[in-house]
Amino acid sequence: MDPIVLAAGTALVTAMATDAWQSARDGAVALWRKVRPEQAEVVEAELIEAREQVLEARRDGDVDTEQALAGVWQVRLQQLLRADPSLAGEIQRVLDEVLTPALQPADQERIGSLVMKAKASGRGRVYQAGRDQTIQER
């Protein structure tokens, strides 16, 4: 699954429990309007229903339900991206400008995505790390 989609789906569900919920919902619905406008109203209703589930899960301390909902919206966003790969930039924009700012700092750190690509030819070496890395060559 595309890392942008993973981050956006998680951020969307996390934002459902914030005061910025309406702008998060509007940002998500705008994505559907670009690729599948006939589904936008249904998606909006589903987002509203998902928000109720997130709020209930938070009240009950049910982390599993919130994670499951994030998975559902990640899959849905992945389907949009497959239908229109050029949508990646728009998903990233919504993530950066709408969803992530709606989150608490701890949630923002958890949502961040990291994409690393490398290519080596011949006898070249590539070292990549998401955090600390120690290389000792002999």
Side-chain angles (χ1 to χ4, degrees):
M1 189 169 289
D2 192 293
I4 294 169
V5 167
L6 292 171
T10 302
L12 175 61
V13 170
T14 304
M16 289 177 179
T18 71
D19 292 337
W21 150 242
Q22 291 180 347
S23 63
R25 180 197 63 208
D26 293 346
V29 171
L31 292 171
W32 261 268
R33 280 199 180 99
K34 286 186 179 247
V35 179
R36 296 187 175 138
E38 71 283 356
Q39 294 177 1
E41 286 184 32
V42 171
V43 167
E44 185 171 15
E46 291 171 348
L47 285 165
I48 292 167
E49 183 180 330
R51 180 177 192 253
E52 292 303 317
Q53 292 172 326
V54 167
L55 293 174
E56 184 178 329
R58 291 249 174 133
R59 280 191 298 271
D60 297 344
D62 182 1
V63 177
D64 293 337
T65 294
E66 195 166 342
Q67 289 175 344
L69 287 167
V72 167
W73 287 99
Q74 289 166 349
V75 168
R76 303 226 22 214
L77 288 165
Q78 184 69 40
Q79 291 169 338
L80 282 185
L81 190 57
R82 280 194 187 124
D84 184 356
S86 70
L87 195 60
E90 185 64 15
I91 293 172
Q92 185 71 57
R93 187 196 65 74
V94 169
L95 176 62
D96 293 343
E97 296 177 12
V98 179
L99 299 176
T100 302
L103 306 178
Q104 297 295 320
D107 289 328
Q108 288 179 3
E109 283 184 28
R110 186 174 56 88
I111 299 301
S113 66
L114 174 65
V115 177
M116 297 190 299
K117 296 180 182 181
K119 183 176 182 179
S121 61
R123 296 175 41 110
R125 292 185 181 147
V126 175
Y127 302 98
Q128 292 182 305
R131 261 203 72 184
D132 300 338
Q133 182 178 53
T134 302
I135 301 168
Q136 297 178 343
E137 295 186 23
R138 298 180 195 254

